[in-house]
Amino acid sequence: MTAPAEARRLRFLPSGTSIHKLSAVLTLCLLITVFSFTSSAFFSVNNGLTVLLQTSVIGLLAIGMTLVIITGGIDLSVGSVLALSGVVAGLFIKAGLPVVPAMGVGVLAGAACGFVNGFVITKMRITPFVATLGMMLIARGIALQLTGAAPISRLGEAFGELGNGTLFRIVDMQANGFPKVIFPGIPYPVILLAVIAILGAYLLQKRQFGRHIFSAGSNEEAARLSGVNVDRTKIWTYALSGGLAGLSGMVLMSRLVTVQPNEGVMYELDAIAASVIGGASLMGGVGSISGSMIGAFIIGVLRNGLNMAGTSAFVQMIIIGVVVIGAVYIDQIRNKT
Amino acid sequence: MLDVSSSNTPLVQMVDIYKQFGGIHAVEGVSTDLYPGEVMGVLGHNGAGKSCLMRMLSGAMTPTRGDIFVNGQKAALKSPQDARGFGIETIYQTLALANHLDAPANLFMGRELKTRFGNLDEKRMLAEATDALRQLNPNFKNLRDPVARLSGGQRQVIAIARAIYFQAKILIMDEPTAALGPSETAMVADLTKRLKNEGIGIFLISHDMEDVFELCDRVMVMNKGRNVGTFRIGDVNKDDILSLIIKGTLPDDWEPRGANKESSK
């Protein structure tokens, strides 16, 4: 018994996911080092916080996307759902609802879209790709229809608080009467991302629901035969992804203090890229929140660093595309040897 | 065939079971029963309906018509959870393992142990799994490895441990030795005998005649969705069974052979 076991062992290198995560962290460190040399302004507290802020929206989407990808699915609708949630929140604020409950309704609208995705996928047996592609068009269409494709502005200062507020901002009033910013403060979106990421990792690693997400994605039939309620697990996973898309919609629209019904186009692809760079397998059963966060920051740092180095947006797209393919290719080589 | 005496209720009784898929009749009017401490061989061609019949007992499929009784009580087995509630556990031919998860996660899949706060109790699951797996195979190592990296024998051990850990009363084994080497096959045979002595009723689907004659008390043969005969193992020999499997009938000159008469070997 030991002989074949050992032979089999040799074909796999030790613990795939941890190596992948390590290489992703190294990549991230390498990027930061390289960009620190190319631009003197890159390695600073201010720019660090900017990267964090810029990454928070993709990061939130990537958390939901990772859960969905681990079940063996995909959610192409998050970018559109983000916009629709913003529109719903904006319309409720315009109708007189206070900001916090209106944002709550926006997040729920996102979760409802995700719930519909899950229902269509499990009960109508439509593949996730097609179901969420349909939702991508439906949600975008509703968002544009509700607003007549026009932005909703004048939503009040309170609406901008989530996206623009900071914690621990230290401002020193100078003798000449001008304020001097000693520490710009941690932006609320960054804190939100950290909290949601920790909750997401807890859900995935420590709770039965998370274990069922892995079981369903690893071997759906086995999970079903073992008494896992696969349909319910998937529906809730898509609902969570939709809800997180709604939440990231709140963050994004709040940062702009305006609801833009055509925001978030192609964000789903960034979220998928972040998950995949972070080691999630589109075949299901593999992935982690921490990995996806590293993936999101690799994309964020790349964007920011290339911007600072003066690289054009078009070249950035090319580079990120190459990084995604490279990350998956390296993963495959490692799993084959 | 149904000898329901008051002192000896069958563990399982399947009565007049039908299963149709569209126009296809996978199982037609099959009845069978199983007693505590008995191993019932379920034989037949691929596609004869034996796996289908067993899937209905394990709750993975629901019969189009017919009743299933467990301990004399009518049982509605609408899902694998229902079947497990009646103490029916299944070792699937495909093993039904999640390749990316480790042995404890697979052993407790769908029945995870939780702490007081509702978190997964990884420690206890690992400890219990170590116990359960070492009982079957003292050399079992790498419990934290994804099961994709384990050998066929180890994977089989996990599938078996999963069934017996939860105190099965009725065990369905679907070709448990098909993928195993000789020593592991012997281990499964020993285990089957041990479980039988503990009073567990076992349905054993197998193509291996040696196994069948060594382990089974009775055999039922299925052909084209029908049960073409249930016999005590001593009353038939290999040729009789092959005739049933292939033609659906016994040889023309067949009469019960009796345990003392020349058996197949």
Side-chain angles (χ1 to χ4, degrees):
Chain A
M1 158 158 304
T2 50
E6 231 129 49
R8 221 169 256 261
R9 254 185 144 240
L10 288 177
R11 264 187 273 140
F12 291 87
L13 285 170
S15 178
T17 43
S18 59
I19 281 197
H20 190 122
K21 215 178 282 176
L22 192 69
S23 63
V25 172
L26 287 177
T27 310
L28 188 56
C29 294
L30 187 74
L31 283 176
I32 293 171
T33 318
V34 169
F35 285 132
S36 302
F37 281 110
T38 55
S39 164
S40 55
F42 178 82
F43 200 76
S44 66
V45 174
N46 266 323
N47 191 50
L49 290 171
T50 306
V51 172
L52 287 171
L53 182 62
Q54 285 171 343
T55 309
S56 56
V57 169
I58 295 302
L60 285 171
L61 291 178
I63 293 168
M65 187 66 73
T66 303
L67 300 181
V68 167
I69 286 178
I70 295 172
T71 68
I74 197 152
D75 190 348
L76 298 176
S77 69
V78 290
S80 300
V81 169
L82 170 155
L84 177 59
S85 304
V87 166
V88 168
L91 290 176
F92 270 95
I93 290 171
K94 281 291 181 196
L97 204 65
V99 167
V100 173
M103 283 187 162
V105 173
V107 172
L108 283 181
C113 291
F115 189 85
V116 172
N117 279 337
F119 185 85
V120 171
I121 289 161
T122 56
K123 305 296 177 189
M124 290 166 65
R125 310 237 157 263
I126 309 281
T127 58
F129 190 94
V130 174
T132 58
L133 184 67
M135 179 54 77
M136 173 174 144
L137 296 170
I138 293 168
R140 180 69 65 189
I142 296 174
L144 291 169
Q145 183 65 35
L146 284 175
T147 56
I152 308 172
S153 51
R154 286 198 295 275
L155 290 162
E157 227 169 81
F159 185 71
E161 186 62 24
L162 174 66
N164 300 297
T166 57
L167 193 67
F168 304 131
R169 185 181 176 85
I170 304 169
V171 180
D172 191 29
M173 224 19 125
Q174 285 176 316
N176 59 13
F178 286 106
K180 185 181 179 230
V181 178
I182 293 169
F183 181 66
I186 306 165
Y188 286 152
V190 175
I191 296 167
L192 188 67
L193 176 65
V195 170
I196 299 286
I198 290 166
L199 284 178
Y202 168 72
L203 181 77
L204 199 53
Q205 298 300 333
K206 299 285 176 204
R207 303 297 293 190
Q208 192 174 33
F209 179 68
R211 182 56 56 79
H212 287 178
I213 288 177
F214 276 108
S215 320
S218 179
N219 187 341
E220 182 168 341
E221 176 69 3
R224 190 167 283 133
L225 292 173
S226 307
V228 174
N229 193 331
V230 172
D231 284 1
R232 199 174 58 194
T233 303
K234 284 191 176 181
I235 289 176
W236 279 110
T237 307
Y238 282 94
L240 264 177
S241 173
L244 285 171
L247 190 62
S248 54
M250 297 310 119
V251 171
L252 186 63
M253 307 297 180
S254 169
R255 256 176 75 196
L256 309 168
V257 209
T258 310
V259 168
Q260 297 274 11
N262 46 15
E263 262 300 338
V265 175
M266 303 231 291
Y267 276 30
E268 54 279 341
L269 301 185
D270 273 1
I272 294 167
S275 299
V276 168
I277 291 173
S281 158
L282 290 172
M283 308 297 287
V286 182
S288 70
I289 301 293
S290 55
S292 299
M293 290 303 99
I294 296 166
F297 280 108
I298 286 180
I299 295 177
V301 166
L302 258 179
R303 283 244 163 87
N304 178 276
L306 292 171
N307 270 336
M308 293 198 129
T311 317
S312 86
F314 311 138
V315 176
Q316 289 182 25
M317 286 170 100
I318 298 170
I319 292 175
I320 291 173
V322 170
V323 167
V324 169
I325 294 174
V328 176
Y329 181 63
I330 291 167
D331 196 34
Q332 270 183 6
I333 293 178
R334 209 196 46 238
N335 280 331
K336 263 183 208 151
T337 46
Chain B
M1 188 167 35
L2 299 175
D3 83 43
V4 187
S5 57
S6 55
S7 65
N8 200 1
T9 334
L11 211 47
V12 178
Q13 240 182 320
M14 301 180 82
V15 183
D16 210 18
I17 303 281
Y18 284 80
K19 179 69 189 181
Q20 281 170 250
F21 298 101
I24 297 160
H25 298 260
V27 174
E28 285 187 276
V30 171
S31 297
T32 185
D33 53 0
L34 179 72
Y35 288 85
E38 182 185 46
V39 179
M40 169 78 96
V42 183
L43 305 172
H45 269 309
N46 291 327
K50 53 194 195 319
S51 280
C52 185
L53 184 73
M54 288 300 115
R55 285 172 77 85
M56 287 188 270
L57 184 58
S58 60
M61 254 181 212
T62 44
T64 311
R65 218 168 80 212
D67 294 315
I68 297 172
F69 298 87
V70 178
N71 282 322
Q73 304 272 315
K74 195 172 164 182
L77 307 174
K78 292 201 171 60
S79 69
Q81 289 100 307
D82 291 346
R84 288 172 157 193
F86 283 99
I88 302 170
E89 296 282 343
T90 309
I91 300 166
Y92 293 96
Q93 190 180 1
T94 57
L95 304 186
L97 298 175
N99 277 334
H100 303 95
L101 302 181
D102 61 12
N106 268 289
L107 191 75
F108 289 97
M109 184 156 59
R111 292 183 280 203
E112 291 83 1
L113 301 179
K114 287 185 269 185
T115 62
R116 262 184 308 156
F117 308 108
N119 293 333
L120 291 173
D121 196 342
E122 302 279 6
K123 242 192 201 162
R124 217 170 95 228
M125 284 195 273
L126 179 62
E128 298 278 318
T130 309
D131 267 11
L133 295 171
R134 293 265 161 85
Q135 268 181 32
L136 296 174
N137 176 358
N139 301 320
F140 206 106
K141 282 178 226 125
N142 356 320
L143 268 94
R144 301 313 308 248
D145 281 5
V147 300
R149 268 191 242 159
L150 302 180
S151 70
Q154 286 177 307
R155 291 160 58 82
Q156 185 79 50
V157 163
I158 297 170
I160 295 171
R162 179 163 64 183
I164 59 178
Y165 174 83
F166 294 97
Q167 266 108 44
K169 296 192 181 60
I170 299 148
L171 190 58
I172 301 165
M173 302 170 98
D174 192 349
E175 301 203 33
T177 58
L180 297 184
S183 66
E184 288 152 339
T185 304
M187 184 272 289
V188 173
D190 286 346
L191 177 74
T192 310
K193 286 175 197 155
R194 202 183 87 205
L195 294 173
K196 170 188 148 96
N197 289 336
E198 288 169 14
I200 293 169
I202 299 173
F203 278 113
L204 177 67
I205 299 180
S206 183
H207 286 298
D208 185 334
M209 285 297 160
E210 304 291 331
D211 274 1
V212 169
F213 277 92
E214 187 192 343
L215 299 172
C216 295
D217 302 291
R218 287 192 296 161
V219 286
M220 65 177 284
V221 181
M222 291 193 64
N223 187 298
K224 294 180 184 143
R226 295 177 185 279
N227 180 356
V228 290
T230 304
F231 300 92
R232 286 194 308 162
I233 199 72
D235 287 344
V236 282
N237 63 24
K238 260 188 210 174
D239 294 337
D240 300 338
I241 290 179
L242 285 174
S243 167
L244 280 165
I245 291 175
I246 294 160
K247 288 194 298 181
T249 54
L250 285 160
D252 297 332
D253 59 342
W254 182 82
E255 53 188 55
R257 287 166 203 274
N260 49 355
K261 279 209 180 168
E262 59 106 24
S263 88
S264 62
K265 287 178 241 179

